[in-house]
Amino acid sequence: RAVLLLSGKRKSGKDFVAEELRSRLGPDVCTILRLSGPLKEQYAKEHGLDFQRLLDASAYKERFRQDMIRWGEEKRRADPGFFCRAAVQGALQPVWV
């Protein structure tokens, strides 16, 4: 079992590296977990927004970015593991990126 954490600035290639690892290890061995997905999904639910549009690189997402960041920080302050628990739910592969 392994957990690989990738960090870096926006547009630095984290998604590319994660996808490359998964393609080399195989989807039965490796899964990609993103904290941003559960964060955006919960934010969309609580604010009546389109979750799918928050996932893409659109002006729609940018319009809510600052408030989403503030909201996410408040959630993590109240419950540091909230988004991690949501991200790993159902992940059965031995390697998490």
Side-chain angles (χ1 to χ4, degrees), residues 5-91:
L5 300 174
L6 303 178
S7 68
K9 294 180 179 183
R10 287 176 58 215
K11 308 291 183 188
S12 66
K14 299 179 298 292
D15 288 340
F16 173 80
V17 171
E19 292 293 345
E20 190 67 23
L21 286 167
R22 184 174 59 173
S23 79
R24 290 179 186 217
L25 295 172
D28 55 323
V29 173
C30 179
T31 188
I32 298 171
L33 304 173
R34 292 182 172 90
L35 295 179
S36 62
L39 185 151
K40 290 173 184 174
E41 184 174 20
Q42 189 64 33
Y43 181 81
K45 284 179 185 174
E46 289 188 21
H47 293 85
L49 300 173
D50 183 336
F51 169 57
Q52 291 303 316
R53 291 188 65 198
L54 290 177
L55 292 175
D56 63 25
S58 66
Y60 182 82
K61 177 177 74 177
E62 292 304 319
R63 193 166 66 219
F64 300 105
R65 179 180 294 282
Q66 290 306 313
D67 187 59
M68 203 173 357
I69 291 168
R70 179 201 51 74
W71 175 87
E73 289 169 355
E74 288 174 5
K75 282 284 195 192
R76 279 188 292 279
R77 245 188 316 279
D79 179 1
F82 181 82
F83 297 114
C84 290
R85 285 190 305 277
V88 302
Q89 189 172 354

